Amino acid sequence: MVTRSRGPSPARIDREWPYQVALPDDLCTGHSFMLIREFCEARGLAPVRRQVQAIWPDGRYEEWRLYCFADEASAQAFLDHFPGVMFDPKRDRENGNARGVWRRTGEYKRTLDLGPLSVPEILRNRGSGVCGRYTRYLPWSEIHRLYRLTAPAEIGRNDAPRYNIALTEEVPFVTAGENGGHKLRQGRWRLVPWHAKELPKATMFNARSETIDTSGAFKDAFKSKRCLIPADGFYEWTISPADKGRDPWHIFLPDHQPFSFAGIWAYNKNLDVTSCSIVTMPAGETMRQIHDRQPVILDPDVYDAWLDPETPPNDAKQLLHENLDEDLESTESAAT
C-alpha cells in the first residue's frame, strides 16, 4: 500500500512561513517556472507554495501563487528579483481565514510581464474566469429526455429559451430522486454553503475539480449533494490582439445537442436559499485554444453514479474524468 505524504496545512503555512510573495499564476508556468526554480536553488531558498484567489470590486477574479518563506530576508530577496506583491496572510486573506480569498482594490488589470517573468504565448489571449455564462435555448421537451423525471410539472415545463444565463440567476438543476428516479430543483447559480450566515462575497459559481473534495466552501456539497445542470452551450472570451477587446466564443456539442454540467448544490436553511455551482477542470484539446479551464460536461453513462449520495467522494471525483470534452465545438459569437 502506497502512503501519500501530505504537505503542511494552510494554517501551518501561514504560521511558519508568514512572509509571502504573490505572483499571478499565469506568470509561474513554463519558462517562468524554471526561472523561479533556478533562482531559488542557486540561493538555497526553499519556499512553500500555495494558491490564493484574488477578487476585484467588479467581480473579476484571478488565481495567484504564493511563495512563502520563514524569514523576511529571503522573501525580500525573492521580491527584489521577481517584483510581485508582498502578501500578509493575516491582513490580506478575508477575515484572516487561512483559506480566505484576497479582496483587491482598484481596477483589474491583467499582468502579462513582470521583471524576468512573462505569460506564455498560449495563455496571453485568454480572458479571466471560466464559464460565467451559458445557454439553454432548446425546448424543455428535448432537454428532459436526458433525465428520468416523473412528476408532470417536471416533464411538462414550457420554459422560454435562455440565451445568456448569468451568475446569481435562478436555474433548474437535477438531483437524485425517489426510487431511482431524478428530481428537478430550482436554485441560484452561485453556491451559498448550508452553514453560511450571509450571502458569500466570494465568486462561488465554479468549483475546481482538483480541490472540490478539500475546499472548505465546496467539500460538504460535493460529498452528498451533487447535481446535473442542463445546458446546450456556454460562453468564453479571449482578448483580441488587435484592440484588446473581449471576443466571445460559443462552445457546444455537435448538432447543439443538450448536455449536463457536473454540479453541486446546497440548501441554506438560515437564508432560505437553494443554490448550485458548476464544476470545472483543466481545458481539453478544443478549449485549450480559448481558455485553460472548462466546465465538466458529464457522460450520460455516469449520471446516476454522480447523483447518488452513496457514491464515495473519491469515486465521485474519478467520475469527473468521464466527460465529453473531446466532442466540443466552438464558434466566434456576437453574444456578450
Side-chain angles (χ1 to χ4, degrees):
M1 181 178 179
V2 177
T3 302
R4 291 187 178 182
S5 60
R6 300 185 63 178
S9 68
R12 182 185 168 195
I13 292 174
D14 288 350
R15 184 173 63 252
E16 299 185 17
W17 293 271
Y19 302 99
Q20 303 177 5
V21 179
L23 296 171
D25 200 58
D26 281 354
L27 283 166
C28 302
T29 61
H31 181 63
S32 294
F33 175 82
M34 297 300 297
L35 291 177
I36 294 171
R37 187 174 73 175
E38 291 169 359
F39 175 86
C40 292
E41 289 178 349
R43 289 157 181 80
L45 302 178
V48 176
R49 296 191 301 272
R50 63 174 304 204
Q51 302 288 120
V52 64
Q53 187 181 67
I55 302 177
W56 277 262
D58 64 359
R60 301 193 70 173
Y61 68 96
E62 194 171 63
E63 293 293 324
W64 283 54
R65 192 171 304 189
L66 300 175
Y67 288 84
C68 311
F69 299 86
D71 63 283
E72 186 175 7
S74 295
Q76 190 61 54
F78 185 92
L79 182 65
D80 289 343
H81 195 74
F82 304 112
V85 178
M86 189 64 83
F87 182 89
D88 183 335
K90 291 183 178 179
R91 177 195 66 204
D92 295 325
R93 283 197 181 269
E94 190 167 55
N95 300 323
N97 189 308
R99 297 184 184 275
V101 299
W102 183 16
R103 292 284 168 189
R104 305 301 304 270
T105 58
E107 184 179 355
Y108 170 82
K109 183 178 180 181
R110 192 176 181 211
T111 304
L112 297 176
D113 301 282
L114 196 65
L117 306 178
S118 61
V119 173
E121 191 64 34
I122 192 172
L123 298 181
R124 282 181 174 258
N125 292 333
R126 294 178 182 159
S128 65
V130 58
C131 196
R133 301 288 175 110
Y134 71 94
T135 62
R136 202 192 70 248
Y137 53 77
L138 289 175
W140 185 252
S141 59
E142 293 292 322
I143 291 176
H144 85 70
R145 295 175 186 172
L146 290 172
Y147 316 110
R148 290 195 305 280
L149 303 175
T150 56
E154 296 177 349
I155 296 175
R157 292 167 65 107
N158 189 24
D159 291 5
R162 298 177 69 180
Y163 296 93
N164 201 359
I165 299 171
L167 308 178
T168 74
E169 291 185 6
E170 291 285 310
V171 298
F173 60 90
V174 174
T175 68
E178 296 179 355
N179 302 319
H182 297 154
K183 179 179 178 59
L184 188 67
R185 300 178 187 266
Q186 193 88 5
R188 174 184 189 267
W189 176 27
R190 187 169 174 176
L191 195 76
V192 180
W194 68 269
H195 52 76
K197 296 181 180 179
E198 60 181 5
L199 293 179
K201 297 177 181 177
T203 51
M204 297 173 63
F205 57 94
N206 289 159
R208 296 171 69 93
S209 61
E210 301 94 319
T211 57
I212 193 171
D213 55 338
T214 58
S215 168
F218 300 120
K219 65 181 181 181
D220 286 346
F222 175 69
K223 183 177 180 180
S224 60
K225 283 186 165 51
R226 297 179 291 271
C227 68
L228 300 168
I229 302 174
D232 43 42
F234 64 96
Y235 294 113
E236 283 302 341
W237 285 260
T238 56
I239 306 300
S240 170
D243 59 8
K244 305 305 180 184
R246 301 177 75 212
D247 295 330
W249 294 80
H250 190 219
I251 299 98
F252 49 88
L253 289 178
D255 300 321
H256 294 270
Q257 58 189 295
F259 57 78
S260 299
F261 295 126
I264 55 177
W265 71 283
Y267 173 67
N268 185 301
K269 185 176 180 180
N270 296 326
L271 303 174
D272 192 25
V273 173
T274 300
S275 60
C276 62
S277 180
I278 293 173
V279 182
T280 68
M281 68 180 196
E285 188 63 32
T286 299
M287 278 294 297
R288 201 169 293 139
Q289 305 306 313
I290 300 173
H291 203 286
D292 58 345
R293 297 193 67 78
Q294 69 178 70
V296 177
I297 298 174
L298 281 180
D299 188 319
D301 288 344
V302 302
Y303 280 4
D304 286 341
W306 173 256
L307 293 178
D308 188 350
E310 299 300 321
T311 299
N314 286 342
D315 293 348
K317 194 170 183 179
Q318 290 302 311
L319 294 176
L320 295 172
H321 297 292
E322 304 297 327
N323 57 67
L324 305 180
D325 70 280
E326 293 183 357
D327 298 332
L328 290 175
E329 300 178 0
S330 65
T331 182
E332 197 162 3
S333 171
T336 57

